[in-house]
Amino acid sequence: MDTFYITTPLYYVNARPHLGHTYTTVVADCVSRYKRMQGCDVCFLTGTDEHGQNIERAAAAQGVAPEVMADRNAGAYRKLWARFGVEYDRFIRTTSKSHYAAAAEVFQRAFDNGFIYKGEYSGWYCIPCNLFAPEAESAPDCDVCQRSTERVTEESYFFKLSVFQARLLELYEKHPEFINPPSRRNEVIRFVSDGLKDLSVSRTSVKWGIPVPVADDHVIYVWFDALVGYLSGIGFGNGKEQDQFRKYWPAQVQLVGKDIIRFHTVYWPAFLLAAGLPLPERVHAHGWWLKDEAKMSKSRGNVINPHLLLNHFGSDAVRYFLLREIPFGADGNFSYQAMIQRTNSDLANDLGNLVSRTLALISRNFDDTVPSPSAPLTSLEDELKKHALSTVEAFQDHMDRLAFSRALEAVWELLSRTNKYINVCAPWTMAGDEAQRPRLATILHTCAEVVRIVTVLLAPVLPASCAKVWNQLGQQEALSHQRLDRLQWSRELSGNMLGEIRAVFPRLDKKALLDSLFGAGSGGQKKSADSRDRKKTPAVRKEAPQAPGSTKSSARSSAGADTITIEDFVKVDLRVGQVVEAEKVKGADRLLRLTVDLGRETRQIVAGIAQAYPVEKLVGRKIIVVANLQPRKLRGLESNGMLLAASVGEEDRPVLATFLEEVPNGARLK
RNA sequence: GGCGGGGUAGCUCAGUGGUUAGAGCGAAGGUCUCAUAAUCCUUAGGUCGGGGGUUCGAGUCCCCCCCCCGCUACCA
C-alpha cells in the first residue's frame, strides 16, 4: 500500500490561530482524506512550534512561564481543528520529550558530518522573526517584518549553508516539482543563485529551547528545531517508533504559507542533506487570504476570526469556500458576501437542492425505497453516466495537482447537468401512471446514482455534510471507507431504504446574516463590495497606513484626474535641513551617508547622490527633506528620510533643491 | 533599477494565430412546480491596459509605453 505523508507548518504559539492557519490545515485535511479514500496509508501531521526568544518574551510579558503560554495556545489550535473536523494523525509539539531527542540527533549528525562549526556571531537580530539582518552600522529593520532589530553578540554554532548552493540548485533543477507553484520556485532559485551565507544555528542568549548536544549552554536555533518536528512527529529519534519514521519519511507534500517558503526550500533541505536524510518530495506554498484587498493584521483590524465563521456558516461551508474560491497558491480576497454567495448558490441551490428533489421524488413515488432502473437506458442516461465517470477522473486529476478549485468546478458541472436532466425528464409528470413506472424508476435511480457518486467525491471536502447525505441514501458502509479510485456507476443503491430526509445545505438569509455580523443597517457588505473597484482605484499600497475604508475615499477623490487633495499633500512632512556631516558609504558607488540637522533633531539620511556631489560641497548646505518617510536601510545603513532633488538628463543626475534666502533648520514647507 | 507573473463582460477567471471572444457568479425577463422563493431557458453590446508592427488574418507573435502583484536592489 502506498504511504502518503503530508504536513502543515508547526504553528508558532505566540498567537492564536487565524484564518491563514485554518486554510493550510483545512487543505491538508482535505488532501489526507482524499488520499485515504484512494486507499493510501496516510499520515497527516500538524502541530505547534513552541520555543524561542519570541515566546520567552511574550510569556514574560503576560507574567507566565513559557510552558503555560505554549499549553494555552497549543490547546487553542487543537480546539479549532476539532471544530473544523480536521482529522490529523499526529500533533507534534516541539516541547515534547521525543522531539528534544530528535532535534538533538539531527544537530549531532550534521555536526558529525562536518556541517556545523563553532564561531562567534555579532549581528542585528529580529526577535519576532528569529532572523539575523545583514550587517550594518546602526540597527536596521528586519527584512521580513520591517520591525526594528536588536544587537546580539554571542558565541554561536554555524551551519555551513554556503556549501549547499550547488546541491540545492541541482535539486531544483532535477526536481522541478520540489517547489510549487513555479513562480515561487523561480524566486528561490534566484535567491540561492545569489549565494548563501552560513547560518547561525544556536543561541546562548535564549534559554527557552533545546540544548545543543555538543554544548549545553547553547540552545538550538528555533527554525532548526521546528523543522525537525516534521521528522520527530513521526518517530525519528524515538527508538520505539523508528519503523513509523522509516515508513512515512520522506513526506509527499509539505504545505506552507508563501512567507516561509525559504525556510522550507533552502534551509530545510540543506539541514536534511547535512544529516544524511532523504528530502521531501514536494513543498507547496499557498497565498494569503486578504480582507478588503489588504493583508489581515491586528493593527488593521481586519482579521477574520475562524470561530465566528464557524458559528455562522458551519465547518463544511467554510471548508468549501476556502478550497473553491481561489486557485491554490494565489492570494484570495475574503468577504462575507462572497462566502454567503458561494454557500447559497453552490451548496444550497445546486448541490443541496439536487439531493432534496431526488430524495423527495423517490420517497413519494417508491415509498422511500431506491428503485432499480427497470426501463432501458436512453441516450440521456448514457450521457449523464458517461459524464459522471469522466468527472470522477477529472476530479482526481485536479486533486492530485492540488488544484482544488478546479476539482470542485468539475463536480459542479456534473451537478448542473444532472439538474438539467431532471428538468428534461420531468419525472413528476409520470407519478401515478403505471405505464411510465419503469421509466420513472430509471430516471430516479439515475439521479440517486449521481448523488451517490458526488457524495463520495465531495467527502474529503465536506465530510460532515456528505456523511449525512450518505445516510439519507440509505447506505450502510461508512462513507470514509469508500474508494475514490474504484468509484463506478453501479446499482448498489437499488433497494436501499432512505434515511430521514432533511436539508443538509440550508440556504442562508443574506441580509439577516450580514446584519448579525455587522449590526443591523451597517454597511458591512459595502466594504467587500469595493473589490468591484479594484482595477479602477489605485490599489492600496502596503505602506499606506490607513484604516480599511479610508483608502477608498481618498482613492475616489483622486479618481479621474492625476491630482491629489490638500489632505493628501499635508501628509508629507517636508522640512528644511542642513547637512552636518557627509561621507561615502563603503562599497557603494552612489550612496552618501549624511547627518542632517532638522532643527529639533539630527537624522541620518542615506542618499544616492555621491556621483553628483562631492562630500565637501555638501557640508553646511541647506536641503529639503521628507521627514516622515518610513525609515529604511540602504546598504545596511538606516536612512531616516529622503532629500529632494531634481532629476536631470538621460542619466537622471540629481540636482539638490535649495533656498536662495536664509531659512532656519526644521522649518516646514507647505 | 533588475528578474518573474499579470492586465479579457459588474465580479472571479478560461481562451493551440483563423468563422459573429467564452464559462461561472451577480443582474433582468421567462418557464416549470419534484425541490431549500430552489431548477431550467433567454438576455451581457466587453476600445481583449494603450500605441505601433508582422500576417490574408492577432486577445493569441514582435517592439515601445502605462498600470498591478511577487522576489530583489547602491531609489531622487
Side-chain angles (χ1 to χ4, degrees):
Chain A
M1 189 190 290
D2 285 346
T3 61
F4 187 85
Y5 180 32
I6 183 169
T7 67
T8 74
L10 307 191
Y11 305 119
Y12 209 44
V13 289
N14 64 336
R16 301 255 160 180
H18 55 63
L19 192 64
H21 302 120
T22 303
Y23 183 44
T24 321
T25 309
V26 162
V27 165
D29 183 61
C30 175
V31 173
S32 44
R33 285 172 184 269
Y34 165 73
K35 295 306 285 188
R36 280 193 200 103
M37 290 179 73
Q38 282 187 326
C40 289
D41 179 345
V42 173
C43 184
F44 165 19
L45 173 136
T46 186
T48 42
D49 175 11
E50 309 190 356
H51 288 129
Q53 192 162 17
N54 213 10
I55 305 285
E56 204 170 51
R57 289 196 184 181
Q62 292 182 25
V64 299
E67 293 89 335
V68 174
M69 198 173 99
D71 280 347
R72 192 187 293 160
N73 286 332
Y77 282 98
R78 296 184 105 130
K79 271 182 202 151
L80 186 63
W81 303 155
R83 288 195 74 193
F84 269 107
V86 169
E87 293 183 348
Y88 47 79
D89 299 287
R90 304 287 182 125
F91 191 101
I92 181 68
R93 298 182 58 177
T94 58
T95 47
S96 66
K97 199 176 164 190
S98 57
H99 176 75
Y100 269 59
E105 179 165 346
V106 174
F107 194 101
Q108 184 75 53
R109 286 194 189 193
F111 184 84
D112 292 345
N113 291 337
F115 294 110
I116 290 177
Y117 61 93
K118 191 173 177 179
E120 189 173 76
Y121 197 95
S122 177
W124 301 104
Y125 190 68
C126 175
I127 290 158
C129 296
N130 289 305
L131 260 183
F132 276 100
E135 189 44 22
E137 287 177 29
S138 62
D141 289 339
C142 173
D143 282 336
V144 175
C145 69
Q146 308 306 321
R147 281 176 280 214
S148 57
T149 54
E150 293 178 26
R151 193 72 188 174
V152 174
T153 301
E154 56 185 10
E155 181 183 75
S156 177
Y157 285 87
F158 283 86
F159 177 76
K160 287 188 184 174
L161 186 62
S162 55
V163 306
F164 286 95
Q165 182 181 31
R167 292 177 72 179
L168 288 170
L169 290 173
E170 188 188 336
L171 165 68
Y172 309 146
E173 176 69 27
K174 281 193 179 165
H175 299 280
E177 75 289 352
F178 179 68
I179 307 175
N180 288 280
S183 54
R184 298 290 157 203
R185 176 169 174 265
N186 293 337
E187 287 174 13
V188 172
I189 288 175
R190 251 174 53 81
F191 175 76
V192 173
S193 302
D194 287 348
L196 296 170
K197 282 190 215 154
D198 288 353
L199 187 69
S200 167
V201 287
S202 81
R203 302 281 184 275
T204 53
S205 57
V206 181
K207 295 286 163 269
W208 181 233
I210 300 175
V212 167
V214 295
D216 60 11
D217 54 330
H218 285 248
V219 151
I220 296 177
Y221 172 49
V222 67
W223 264 106
F224 191 103
D225 169 355
L227 289 163
V228 170
Y230 298 135
L231 310 176
S232 67
I234 50 171
F236 178 83
N238 176 351
K240 287 181 209 157
E241 287 198 290
Q242 271 312 314
D243 55 323
Q244 288 291 301
F245 173 72
R246 273 192 285 270
K247 178 174 166 190
Y248 289 116
W249 190 258
Q252 274 62 51
V253 177
Q254 299 210 270
L255 300 173
V256 298
K258 66 182 184 182
D259 49 331
I260 53 174
I261 187 79
R262 196 175 291 170
F263 295 104
H264 285 82
T265 58
V266 182
Y267 300 169
W268 177 225
F271 293 160
L272 289 168
L273 288 167
L277 291 164
L279 306 181
E281 290 178 12
R282 175 177 175 133
V283 176
H284 197 110
H286 66 251
W288 285 325
W289 281 95
L290 311 174
K291 181 78 176 75
D292 302 321
E293 313 293 334
K295 191 184 172 185
M296 290 186 202
S297 70
K298 279 183 191 162
S299 55
R300 278 198 189 79
N302 62 350
V303 178
I304 304 293
N305 178 351
H307 286 285
L308 184 73
L309 283 181
L310 278 166
N311 295 342
H312 285 94
F313 296 93
S315 71
D316 278 359
V318 179
R319 291 170 64 109
Y320 177 76
F321 182 81
L322 294 177
L323 291 163
R324 171 61 230 265
E325 187 67 5
I326 53 168
F328 192 57
D331 287 349
N333 197 44
F334 183 92
S335 82
Y336 290 103
Q337 278 233 326
M339 174 83 222
I340 294 169
Q341 205 75 261
R342 280 276 171 222
T343 305
N344 280 347
S345 95
D346 293 6
L347 295 182
N349 296 356
D350 295 340
L351 173 59
N353 186 50
L354 174 64
V355 174
S356 287
R357 64 200 306 210
T358 300
L359 297 183
L361 284 163
I362 291 173
S363 172
R364 177 169 314 186
N365 292 289
F366 292 93
D367 195 22
D368 285 323
T369 305
V370 181
S372 296
S374 39
L377 300 187
T378 69
S379 62
L380 290 174
E381 285 78 38
D382 284 337
E383 276 171 31
L384 192 57
K385 175 179 167 183
K386 206 172 150 192
H387 187 79
L389 293 176
S390 71
T391 300
V392 171
E393 295 279 313
F395 180 82
Q396 292 178 88
D397 286 346
H398 290 129
M399 288 295 287
D400 288 339
R401 295 179 5 248
L402 306 183
F404 311 111
S405 57
R406 294 277 189 211
L408 292 169
E409 276 174 40
V411 173
W412 258 259
E413 170 66 22
L414 173 60
L415 291 173
S416 170
R417 290 210 192 191
T418 309
N419 273 319
K420 283 192 212 334
Y421 168 79
I422 300 189
N423 277 47
V424 169
C425 295
W428 47 90
T429 61
M430 302 173 185
D433 183 344
E434 266 316 302
Q436 297 209 65
R437 198 159 170 79
R439 177 68 191 143
L440 178 61
T442 299
I443 293 166
L444 296 185
H445 179 270
T446 300
C447 294
E449 183 58 9
V450 172
V451 170
R452 183 185 71 86
I453 286 173
V454 166
T455 302
V456 175
L457 290 179
L458 294 179
V461 180
L462 307 166
S465 311
C466 286
K468 289 181 192 166
V469 174
W470 198 244
N471 287 334
Q472 293 186 18
L473 286 170
Q475 292 287 74
Q476 299 301 318
E477 200 187 336
L479 174 58
S480 57
H481 292 165
Q482 299 301 303
R483 286 289 293 268
L484 270 169
D485 54 331
R486 296 179 190 164
L487 195 51
Q488 286 299 323
W489 191 269
S490 77
R491 293 189 172 202
E492 66 178 81
L493 290 176
S494 296
N496 270 15
M497 188 73 183
L498 299 183
E500 187 189 355
I501 302 172
R502 298 181 65 176
V504 174
F505 302 100
R507 213 180 143 73
L508 303 172
D509 182 332
K510 185 172 181 176
K511 187 177 179 308
L513 188 47
L514 286 174
D515 283 349
S516 82
L517 282 163
F518 297 106
S522 90
Q525 70 265 44
K526 283 185 197 155
K527 278 186 189 165
S528 16
D530 28 332
S531 56
R532 177 178 310 162
D533 300 315
R534 192 176 179 179
K535 285 178 189 153
K536 285 170 187 157
T537 49
V540 182
R541 291 176 181 278
K542 64 182 164 193
E543 59 270 22
Q546 59 275 79
S550 74
T551 52
K552 193 170 73 174
S553 58
S554 64
R556 282 272 166 69
S557 61
S558 62
D562 287 333
T563 58
I564 59 171
T565 63
I566 189 76
E567 288 80 16
D568 291 333
F569 173 71
V570 296
K571 288 178 189 165
V572 183
D573 187 21
L574 295 174
R575 299 282 173 172
V576 174
Q578 185 169 27
V579 179
V580 181
E581 300 170 2
E583 64 171 356
K584 293 206 65 169
V585 174
K586 269 178 275 175
D589 302 330
R590 295 162 58 188
L591 289 186
L592 287 182
R593 187 185 69 79
L594 305 174
T595 305
V596 179
D597 179 358
L598 287 178
R600 294 179 175 205
E601 55 174 328
T602 302
R603 297 256 193 109
Q604 170 170 290
I605 293 176
V606 180
I609 55 171
Q611 289 172 335
Y613 291 91
V615 168
E616 57 277 13
K617 286 188 77 171
L618 281 168
V619 176
R621 175 153 184 173
K622 299 269 183 181
I623 58 173
I624 301 172
V625 173
V626 181
N628 62 344
L629 196 67
Q630 231 175 37
R632 101 164 265 190
K633 69 173 172 32
L634 295 169
R635 201 70 187 180
L637 295 172
E638 180 158 293
S639 181
N640 268 301
M642 184 173 97
L643 50 80
L644 293 190
S647 181
V648 177
E650 296 258 318
E651 72 282 13
D652 285 334
R653 178 170 57 88
V655 177
L656 285 173
T658 191
F659 295 93
L660 294 174
E661 295 158 66
E662 267 312 305
V663 284
N665 293 342
R668 177 151 194 190
L669 282 79
K670 54 183 183 180

